Amino acid sequence: MKWSVHSRIQHVSLRRLQNLVGFGSVGLSFSTKIIKFQLWAIAVGVLFVVIVSFNRVEATEMNNNTNSEVYHFKIGSFQVAVISDGLLKLPPLPTYAPTANPQEVERAMLERFWSPNELNLYFNTVYVDTGKHKILIDTGAGSELGTGLARLIPNLHSIGIEPQDIDAVIITHAHPDHIGGIVKNNGQLTFPNARYHISKAEWQFWTAKNIDLSSLKIPVQFKESIKAAAHKHLEAITDRVNLFQPKQEIVPGIYTIDAAGHTPGQSVLRIVSDNEQLIVAADVFFNPAFDLEHPDWQTGFDFDPLQAQITRRKLLDEIVRERTMVVAYHMPFPALGYVRSRKDRYEWQPVLWQFGDRPI
């Protein structure tokens, strides 16, 4: 008969306890046997608690098979975390390289051992604790893009952050995958104590009476859903929004950079603390095989594709020159790394994964 590890533990432990307390020994007085029996009962009870606890720990470890969705690090004295909102698997064409040669797109994906028929699109928000402010950069997609997303709030909970703890939300741009987490399904604000910060150009474009998305190379239905999401989520924060300009300090240590092209008022953020820096690149680039290796490739969501390309090269050249660490919203989690140039192309260098005590 085959025994499990637990069966062996229980059998051996019970035999040792019998020997320890001398239960079953001959020649003992009745009172001694009673005392021995009481000791035996106590010992069995303790063993039972240990075994049950062991089983529970093992069950928890076996059931907890989800990879990490939060990555902690520091920029100077600021505690920072990349927090995943989830992952979508989508066809790469035509949406994510509408003007590229399909054979070249397939080659770029196969070189990275990716399926040429499926693009992994990651959604990575950034949380910053400056010591004075608890800041969230973008809010994820919420329920705007269906299942597979809306992981932000559970992941915040996992590191002890409640939505009401957030006092500032910075919106890089108003596409639904960045603002869809502002309003909950019940119509209430997800982050009720926050002030919301967005560029003036972005706000004016998306709150206009007529929003012209004719330059986007996506289906008409998707354009309408983007407009509806902007109306829903931006209208909800009208009385608590701060409009900023490029090169403005939003909160101490976080500065804005104009990154127009993908949208009319997209912003990149520079986080600075104790002579250390992090660039939050929003959607200036999103994929190492696409618009890093081929910086002239556009996505179907680019409002002004030519300006998006100019912005991308300008930012990437600065990142390369200054050797600045960068986090990009749609790059593979944790979306944190460096960029190096190779002639007219760019390469992604992920940070080395760091283990250790959770700082937040």
Side-chain angles (χ1 to χ4, degrees), residues 142-144 180 183-188 190 232-233:
S143 60
E144 294 295 339
V183 177
K184 296 187 288 188
N185 290 334
N186 63 7
Q188 300 298 311
T190 305
K232 170 186 173 182
H233 294 280

Side-chain angles (χ1 to χ4, degrees), residues 266-279:
Q266 178 178 236
S267 296
V268 162
L269 301 173
R270 185 188 302 275
I271 301 175
V272 182
S273 175
D274 298 336
N275 296 319
E276 294 184 359
Q277 295 190 40
L278 172 71
I279 292 291

